[in-house]
Amino acid sequence: RLGYCIDFSPDGSFIATGGNSAEAEFATKGAGVTKVWDAETGELRFQLYQKTPVVDLQYSPDGRWIATVSGKSSYTESKYPSPFNIWDAKTGELVHELEGHEVWQSCLAFSADGQRLVAGGNDGNVRIWDLKTRNLTHVMSGHKRHLTGVTFTPDGSKVLSTSADTEVRLWDAQTGKLIEVIAGPRGEISGMAISPDGRSFVTAVQAGKERGAKIWKLPGGGDVSKKDSGQCVAFGLDGTTYAIGSHPKDGDSKSIIRIRQSASHATVGEWELEHPLRVRDLDFSPDGKKLLASGDNGFSVWNLETNQAEFTVPMYGIDITYAAAYSPDGSTIVVRESMYDARNGKKIFTLG
């Protein structure tokens, strides 16, 4: 499956997509590949191979590096070392291999200044690397199961981690010491987003006793909202609103997206997706006026000013469309390995 993950370079000139490589390449090159494309022409610039499928990637804030992590594959040995690789974003040269994880479900994030990288895997540990010295500076232990999300707070002073053990942990990014354990919802946390001001975060649980979404405050970790149905979450760019997407267990029911105010948690918009689109990921447009929802069988865009759906693009025969993203200027949307006009959903070209 191609297009597990997508990221635009900060200036919008390039697109990186990660996933499985072609089956014929498994034995000679590896089961995982990151492809880097020219965002204007769709031309493939280079391919970066790893032994297992690429499950997460991110450009550094200055656009110099691409960080990738790969996970478990049924086509490869189950215990391949799964390093976090740092690549030169212009040449595709492997700059550094940050070893230390053997993971099948992984996550990573740069600090806002691009000087550090935090990553997590199925060993339950959170690791921080100094990218200037390329040294592993901290290994933070405590989670009992695999990590499902990691992120720096916007000021870079702390790290937030979520796990299948249902806990949320807040760490001091400078010392690596645990600040507090936040008793999360009873279920595997499938989504997490932190507000732009770093004062609150949202968690989503896809399955478990407390299937749904909650918003929490930082520091202190107090639950400041009622449980809400949802499996994926995102904050608006100004932090005043957040979105919650839910897909029902019943295959005949429709997915619902709610827009809530961060302060009062009042619902300011509600969107019922056209069946059979089942939402799994949300992304606000750069101007904060639209919301992109992607998932099983396609993607859709909602206008937050008119509270109306602008368009839906069905992608039947494609079971899961996790990877979808707005370009930095908001003019285009990339879904898997195709580019679309963000105004009307018309395909511009297929990458490559």
Side-chain angles (χ1 to χ4, degrees), residues 48-273:
L48 315 172
Y49 288 93
Q50 296 184 206
K51 290 181 177 179
T52 54
V54 178
V55 296
D56 199 7
L57 61 83
Q58 192 176 109
Y59 272 94
S60 61
D62 61 6
R64 293 180 61 195
W65 318 114
I66 300 172
T68 64
V69 64
S70 57
K72 187 177 179 180
S73 169
S74 59
Y75 298 102
T76 60
E77 294 179 18
S78 61
K79 290 190 176 181
Y80 263 133
S82 186
F84 295 86
N85 288 338
I86 306 295
W87 311 84
D88 187 300
K90 289 185 178 180
T91 66
E93 178 185 358
L94 178 61
V95 176
H96 195 59
E97 188 173 86
L98 307 176
E99 295 183 348
H101 287 279
E102 291 184 355
V103 299
W104 61 270
Q105 197 171 46
S106 306
C107 42
L108 58 84
F110 281 98
S111 59
D113 61 7
Q115 299 300 307
R116 290 168 295 166
L117 182 74
V118 61
N122 77 335
D123 59 1
N125 292 330
V126 180
R127 289 171 168 82
I128 297 177
W129 285 272
D130 183 314
L131 296 181
K132 187 175 182 179
T133 63
R134 302 177 186 175
N135 289 331
L136 176 64
T137 58
H138 301 296
V139 179
M140 292 101 84
S141 302
H143 282 295
K144 302 173 185 66
R145 295 186 62 193
H146 61 269
L147 275 292
T148 59
V150 289
T151 187
F152 283 97
T153 54
D155 64 3
S157 65
K158 302 176 184 66
V159 165
L160 200 63
S161 61
T162 60
S163 168
D165 64 9
T166 77
E167 290 182 347
V168 182
R169 289 178 175 248
L170 185 66
W171 311 86
D172 187 309
Q174 304 301 321
T175 65
K177 293 183 178 179
L178 179 67
I179 297 174
E180 61 180 319
V181 179
I182 302 168
R186 289 181 295 173
E188 180 175 331
I189 299 172
S190 57
M192 179 259 290
I194 192 166
S195 64
D197 62 8
R199 298 175 63 182
S200 59
F201 67 97
V202 182
T203 59
V205 171
Q206 185 168 332
K209 294 182 178 180
E210 294 189 8
R211 185 173 183 262
K214 285 186 178 183
I215 187 168
W216 313 76
K217 65 181 180 180
L218 288 173
D223 175 6
V224 295
S225 75
K226 294 181 180 179
K227 186 179 71 173
D228 197 355
S229 174
Q231 290 78 46
C232 52
V233 293
F235 266 99
L237 300 187
D238 63 0
T240 60
T241 58
Y242 61 95
I244 301 170
S246 64
H247 63 262
K249 293 181 179 180
D250 180 359
D252 295 328
S253 301
K254 296 182 178 181
S255 293
I256 295 175
I257 295 173
R258 294 182 177 89
I259 310 297
R260 296 195 182 279
Q261 292 181 343
S262 298
S264 66
H265 315 296
T267 300
V268 295
E270 187 170 300
W271 172 19
E272 191 176 74
L273 294 177

Side-chain angles (χ1 to χ4, degrees), residues 276-300:
L277 198 157
R278 290 163 56 85
V279 64
R280 294 182 183 271
D281 193 28
L282 299 170
D283 188 23
F284 281 88
S285 63
D287 62 8
K289 296 180 180 180
K290 298 179 183 180
L291 183 68
L292 168 64
S294 60
D296 297 7
N297 303 310
F299 68 97
S300 189

